[in-house]
């Protein structure tokens, strides 16, 4: 997957989440709004019912007042009078309440305003008739009732009331419809919102699953890559091992094959030497024979040559000597290579080694040389390590030999072997106060057959090359720090626990 | 030697062969020396055209063998000789430049009778060969099995 596509996918997920949030907020706000509206609608429906109720109450009080008036007029019982007063006094607040309730609808307000004087007029009429009855003019009163004074007003009031009721009924229907609509709107909104949320959730799940799958794929790829990497490393290690083995075999074969002609050169050179002796013996014999027929000199005695022949014989011998010394040197070099390859073929065996004890053993063997060189060797406490004993012996005896070999003339030698541990490695230092090594030779001295400084000591230039090869095979490194005339310090870093697994040979 | 022993010299380097022959002669050994400069010719001679070694039946042989041959390994020749019913009694002297201890051990395991490393130093080489010649003059060599 390209980085671009990844970014777009991430942005898509964020957008999706944002959209989900917006939809939820919108639905919540809508629901709250609709619920509020439904409550309002319900209140209005309730209001209608209350108005109708109040209207009925007012009409009831009016009719009650009328009944009480009729009752009083026919019986003159004071109870009816009291009744009437109660009804009349209840009527006014009822009407006021009604007027308040309908204040929102101007049409009804108008009806109530129209109704109010009529009702008051009716109450006044009732009260007048009662007053007449009280003042013993019952006949006038009954006549007034009988004549139907105020009947029209009463009818008008009922008309108005029924108009109001009709209006309220209409309002009721309207408001109920409103409430229903609001409710169904809220319900549908909830449904649609829920649907949205479900859809968004579905898409989210899909996306999450897709990215989870992408992650799994990436993990699998990573795992495969790791395996591939390991395989590649194994392959390379095998290649390196093979190359190393090949170099070892090469060195071995070359040194062998070089040795064969060397045997011939040496052999026939010796034969030549033999011949040389025979030839010059004969020359001497002939020379003497031609000079004077003296008795033959015994063959065993050294031939006496003339000056010219003597020179020839010397040149001949000199040439042969050069050839022989060169052959001897070549033989030493070839033997050295053979020994190195043989070392390279030896199996190392990791064992626990008391390094200090091992080095003290080496110091004992070189005690004589040290005494001759007026040198003291100090071995400080050293860490124990697991490594190959023979290799370690060769490493340290080479370094100590070198330190003793290249001391400064006239200065008592001081050689110290120190050790410490760091991060699973043991670091050993072999330090001397000898003649030192020029920094430009620091690399050279580790090369095979290369030496540095004054060539006044015997040696093949093999020791340090050998030491470095051993240290490497033991999984370590080595380095030198030195200045001319101011001593040298060789530092060797070896694993504390060498298992032999690195550099394990296949063969 | 009680019988005329034939010395079979398998040595690819002619110079070496010459030096060996000279030094053996110098030690006073006058037996016939049959030189071979490669393994194939030597194997053909030793085992005959049928490869059974029947030709050598009843002959007394001493084999001087170099391990580094151009066409085959001397170790193979050693093994074949020691596995052959007619040749296995013939003493085999391995004379080679190899002084690897593994190689030496292997040769003795395969039945080699003497293993000698050719010294590069000629005096020592000559000395070694002369001593070998002296050795030849005193040892008893059985005739190949009948």
């Amino acid at each position: 997957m390209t980085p671009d596509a990844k970014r777009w996918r991430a942005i898509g997920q964020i957008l999706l989440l944002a959209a989900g949030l917006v939809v939820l907020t919108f639905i919540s706000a809508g629901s709250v709004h609709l619920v509020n509206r439904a409550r309002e609608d319900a209140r209005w429906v309730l209001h209608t019912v209350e108005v109708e109720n109040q209207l009925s109450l007012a009409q009831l009080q009016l009719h009650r007042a009328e009944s009480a008036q009729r009752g009083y007029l026919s019986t003159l019982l004071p109870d009816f009078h009291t009744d009437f007063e109660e009804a009349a006094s209840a009527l006014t607040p009822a009407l006021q309440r009604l007027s308040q309730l309908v204040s929102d609808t101007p049409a009804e307000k108008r009806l109530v305003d129209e109704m109010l004087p009529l009702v008051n007029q009716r109450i006044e009429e009732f009260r007048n008739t009662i007053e007449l009855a009280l003042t013993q003019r019952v006949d006038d009163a009954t006549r007034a009732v009988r004549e139907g004074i105020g009947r029209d007003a009463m009818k008008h009031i009922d008309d108005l009331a029924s108009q109001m009721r009709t209006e309220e009924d209409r309002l009721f229907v309207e408001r109920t419809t409103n409430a229903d609509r609001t409710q169904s709107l809220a319900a549908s909104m909830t449904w649609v919102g829920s649907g949205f949320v479900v859809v968004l959730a579905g898409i989210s799940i899909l996306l999450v699953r897709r990215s989870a799958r992408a992650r799994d794929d990436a993990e699998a790829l990573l795992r495969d890559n790791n395996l591939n990497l390991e395989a590649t490393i194994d392959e390379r290690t095998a290649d390196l091992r093979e190359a190393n083995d090949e170099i070892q075999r090469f060195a071995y074969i070359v040194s062998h094959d070089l040795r064969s002609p060397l045997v011939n050169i040496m052999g026939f050179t010796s034969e030549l030497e033999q011949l040389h002796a025979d030839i010059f013996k004969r020359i001497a014999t002939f020379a003497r024979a031609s000079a004077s027929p003296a008795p033959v000199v015994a063959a065993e005695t050294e031939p006496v040559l003339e000056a010219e022949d003597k020179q020839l014989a010397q040149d001949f011998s000199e040439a042969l000597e050069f050839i022989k010394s060169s052959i001897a040197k070549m033989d030493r070099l070839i033997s050295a290579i053979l020994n190195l390859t043989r070392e390279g073929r030896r199996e190392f065996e990791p064992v626990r080694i008391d390094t200090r004890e091992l080095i003290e053993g080496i110091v004992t063997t070189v005690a004589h040389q040290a005494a001759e060189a007026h040198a003291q060797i100090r071995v400080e406490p050293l860490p124990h390590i697991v490594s190959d004993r023979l290799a370690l012996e060769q490493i340290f005896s080479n370094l100590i030999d070198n330190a003793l070999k290249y001391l400064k003339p006239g200065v008592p030698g001081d050689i110290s072997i120190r050790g410490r541990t760091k991060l699973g490695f043991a670091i050993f230092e072999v330090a001397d106060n000898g003649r030192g090594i020029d920094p430009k030779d620091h690399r050279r001295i580790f090369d095979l057959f290369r030496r540095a400084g004054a060539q006044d000591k015997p040696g093949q230039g093999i020791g340090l090359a050998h030491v470095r090869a051993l240290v490497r095979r033991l999984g370590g490194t080595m380095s030198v720090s030195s200045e001319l005339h101011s001593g040298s310090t060789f530092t060797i870093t070896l694993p504390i626990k060498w298992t032999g697994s690195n550099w394990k040979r296949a063969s | 030697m009680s019988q005329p022993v034939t010395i079979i010299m398998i040595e690819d380097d002619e110079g070496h062969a010459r030096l060996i022959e000279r030094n053996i002669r110098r030690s006073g050994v006058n037996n016939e020396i049959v030189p071979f400069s490669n393994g194939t010719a030597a194997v053909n001679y030793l085992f005959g055209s049928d490869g059974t070694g029947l030709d050598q039946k009843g002959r007394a042989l001493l084999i001087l063998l170099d391990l580094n041959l151009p066409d085959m390994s001397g170790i193979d020749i050693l093994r074949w000789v020691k596995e052959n019913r007619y040749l296995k009694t013939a003493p085999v002297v391995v004379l080679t430049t190899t002084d690897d201890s593994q190689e030496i051990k292997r040769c003795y395991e395969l039945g080699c009778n003497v293993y000698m490393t050719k010294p590069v130093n000629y005096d020592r080489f000559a000395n070694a060969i002369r001593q070998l010649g002296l050795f030849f003059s005193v040892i008893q060599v059985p005739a190949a099995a009948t």
Side-chain angles (χ1 to χ4, degrees):
Chain A
M1 202 188 290
T2 63
D4 251 17
K6 262 186 209 167
R7 208 172 59 229
W8 282 118
R9 167 163 294 182
I11 289 174
Q13 283 184 358
I14 291 168
L15 283 180
L16 197 71
L17 280 176
L21 198 69
V22 166
V23 167
L24 274 178
T25 315
F26 184 70
I27 289 166
S28 304
S31 295
V32 168
H33 174 70
L34 286 177
V35 165
N36 277 340
R37 249 179 71 182
R39 198 189 291 149
E40 191 79 356
D41 286 344
R43 208 162 59 76
W44 279 115
V45 171
L46 195 71
H47 180 79
T48 307
V49 174
E50 212 179 341
V51 167
E52 281 190 358
N53 196 25
Q54 204 60 42
L55 187 62
S56 303
L57 196 69
Q59 269 186 300
L60 181 71
Q61 293 300 349
L62 188 62
H63 285 289
R64 195 178 148 207
E66 194 180 15
S67 308
Q69 177 234 6
R70 299 283 160 82
Y72 186 72
L73 287 185
S74 48
T75 61
L76 288 178
L77 280 173
D79 282 355
F80 284 113
H81 186 215
T82 320
D83 236 14
F84 169 77
E85 285 303 331
E86 267 179 24
S89 63
L91 190 57
T92 313
L95 282 172
Q96 271 167 3
R97 176 97 186 97
L98 185 63
S99 166
Q100 248 170 33
L101 282 175
V102 299
S103 58
D104 59 304
T105 30
E108 280 184 89
K109 177 87 177 151
R110 193 170 39 76
L111 290 175
V112 171
D113 287 348
E114 199 177 327
M115 191 193 281
L116 213 56
L118 288 172
V119 170
N120 284 339
Q121 187 200 329
R122 275 302 279 167
I123 292 295
E124 273 318 302
E125 279 173 20
F126 292 155
R127 192 163 275 132
N128 283 342
T129 51
I130 288 172
E131 290 295 329
L132 285 175
L134 275 175
T135 50
Q136 308 300 323
R137 290 160 65 188
V138 177
D139 291 343
D140 289 350
T142 44
R143 198 178 56 242
V145 173
R146 206 174 294 131
E147 278 169 4
I149 296 167
R151 197 163 302 252
D152 288 344
M154 202 63 181
K155 204 169 179 319
H156 196 184
I157 288 169
D158 284 348
D159 258 9
L160 286 174
S162 78
Q163 267 181 44
M164 271 183 79
R165 207 161 268 124
T166 315
E167 177 65 16
E168 278 302 322
D169 281 350
R170 190 187 62 77
L171 279 175
F172 181 78
V173 169
E174 189 182 300
R175 283 166 182 172
T176 312
T177 317
N178 257 350
D180 281 354
R181 201 171 47 234
T182 308
Q183 260 173 18
S184 59
L185 201 63
S188 51
M189 186 149 203
T190 306
W191 274 113
V192 169
S194 305
F196 254 119
V197 168
V198 166
V199 168
L200 285 177
I203 293 173
S204 288
I205 286 169
L206 205 71
L207 281 180
V208 164
R209 281 182 59 177
R210 241 167 68 185
S211 56
R213 199 161 47 234
R215 195 197 55 219
D216 287 352
D217 287 353
E219 263 175 21
L221 197 69
L222 196 66
R223 212 162 35 236
D224 281 2
N225 280 347
N226 273 342
L227 283 178
N228 277 345
L229 194 65
E230 268 170 35
T232 311
I233 288 171
D234 283 351
E235 214 171 275
R236 296 278 151 79
T237 312
D239 283 354
L240 275 180
R241 197 168 287 145
E242 205 171 293
N244 185 61
D245 286 351
E246 201 162 302
I247 288 170
Q248 299 269 4
R249 272 199 304 278
F250 173 78
Y252 188 73
I253 288 169
V254 163
S255 49
H256 260 109
D257 288 3
L258 284 177
R259 216 175 203 187
S260 236
L262 205 60
V263 169
N264 277 341
I265 296 169
M266 195 69 177
F268 285 104
T269 308
S270 295
E271 294 285 310
L272 267 182
E273 215 171 12
Q274 198 72 42
L275 282 174
H276 155 254
D278 291 347
I279 286 167
F280 282 98
K281 207 179 284 169
R282 289 192 67 153
I283 287 173
T285 316
F286 284 133
R288 241 187 320 279
S290 57
S292 62
V296 180
V297 184
E300 285 78 27
T301 58
E302 191 61 23
V304 182
L305 292 171
E306 310 229 328
E308 212 172 305
D309 292 338
K310 204 170 184 170
Q311 184 62 42
L312 276 176
Q314 272 173 7
D315 287 355
F316 205 119
S317 299
E318 195 190 44
L320 284 177
E321 280 311 312
F322 272 118
I323 294 174
K324 281 173 82 176
S325 68
S326 297
I327 293 166
K329 181 167 186 198
M330 195 154 176
D331 180 45
R332 282 199 302 275
L333 296 182
I334 290 171
S335 299
I337 298 176
L338 263 179
N339 283 335
L340 276 180
T341 60
R342 200 167 295 149
E343 265 310 313
R345 290 147 79 95
R346 191 170 74 80
E347 287 286 345
F348 281 7
E349 185 195 357
V351 288
R352 187 164 175 76
I353 299 167
D354 180 345
T355 319
R356 189 173 192 194
E357 194 187 294
L358 181 135
I359 289 177
E360 273 169 351
I362 296 169
V363 169
T364 313
T365 61
V366 297
H368 181 65
Q369 286 130 278
E372 270 188 352
H374 305 290
Q376 61 153 338
I377 304 176
R378 290 177 291 128
V379 184
E380 289 174 15
L382 301 171
H384 292 204
I385 64 172
V386 174
S387 205
D388 182 82
R389 175 173 283 276
L390 189 58
L392 223 57
E393 260 171 20
Q394 287 176 336
I395 289 168
F396 285 109
S397 63
N398 259 297
L399 290 178
I400 293 169
D401 274 350
N402 277 352
L404 281 172
K405 204 161 148 187
Y406 301 109
L407 285 172
K408 240 185 300 191
V411 178
D414 180 16
I415 298 163
S416 68
I417 295 113
R418 298 185 290 261
R420 63 200 153 94
T421 57
K422 190 180 180 185
L423 300 171
F425 282 88
I427 300 167
F428 299 100
E429 286 179 349
V430 180
D432 63 54
N433 62 343
R435 67 192 205 188
I437 304 158
D438 196 321
K440 73 176 162 55
D441 289 329
H442 283 184
R443 276 175 68 91
R444 248 170 70 83
I445 54 169
F446 292 108
D447 289 342
L448 193 58
F449 303 141
R450 297 286 173 272
R451 306 172 75 200
Q455 303 290 308
D456 54 353
K457 304 277 178 185
Q460 309 292 333
I462 291 165
L464 285 177
H466 185 40
V467 167
R468 191 174 62 170
L470 289 173
V471 168
R472 283 186 176 165
R473 272 194 70 190
L474 289 174
T477 57
M478 81 176 290
S479 63
V480 63
S481 71
S482 176
E483 290 288 332
L484 261 184
H485 313 303
S486 58
S488 315
T489 301
F490 285 87
T491 307
I492 293 171
T493 308
L494 290 171
I496 291 175
K497 262 184 128 60
W498 182 68
T499 53
S501 60
N502 39 358
W503 271 94
K504 194 86 185 165
R505 300 179 65 83
S507 51
Chain B
M1 290 189 196
S2 53
Q3 296 177 56
V5 176
T6 306
I7 298 173
I8 309 292
M9 181 168 65
I10 307 169
E11 168 63 69
D12 66 310
D13 190 309
E14 284 180 33
H16 286 198
R18 193 90 188 91
L19 291 172
I20 291 166
E21 194 178 344
R22 267 191 204 183
N23 282 289
I24 287 177
R25 294 286 178 236
R26 278 176 194 154
S27 67
V29 173
N30 292 311
N31 299 58
E32 186 194 357
I33 296 177
V34 186
F36 293 98
S37 62
N38 62 66
T40 315
V43 167
N44 284 342
Y45 178 86
L46 285 173
F47 297 94
S49 49
D50 55 354
T52 57
L54 197 65
D55 295 356
Q56 308 300 335
K57 183 177 165 186
R59 288 186 67 192
L61 296 178
L62 189 149
I63 299 167
L64 264 179
L65 180 63
D66 185 7
L67 292 184
N68 302 313
L69 297 172
D71 51 351
M72 63 179 70
S73 163
I75 290 197
D76 287 335
I77 298 180
L78 172 64
R79 185 165 52 236
W80 295 331
V81 165
K82 288 301 176 185
E83 281 171 355
N84 186 283
R85 57 178 292 212
Y86 303 109
L87 294 170
K88 65 182 173 192
T89 50
V92 176
V93 176
V94 172
L95 183 60
T96 186
T97 44
T98 313
D99 59 353
D100 187 78
S101 57
Q102 291 290 324
E103 202 91 302
I104 296 170
K105 189 165 162 246
R106 199 150 159 238
C107 283
Y108 278 113
E109 276 168 4
L110 286 172
C112 123
N113 305 80
V114 177
Y115 189 108
M116 276 180 67
T117 304
K118 291 175 192 166
V120 176
N121 182 301
Y122 184 65
D123 290 338
R124 277 166 52 207
F125 179 84
N127 194 28
I129 301 294
R130 276 176 213 159
Q131 284 183 10
L132 186 68
L134 291 174
F135 179 65
F136 288 169
S137 63
V138 296
I139 60 167
Q140 292 289 326
V141 176
T146 51

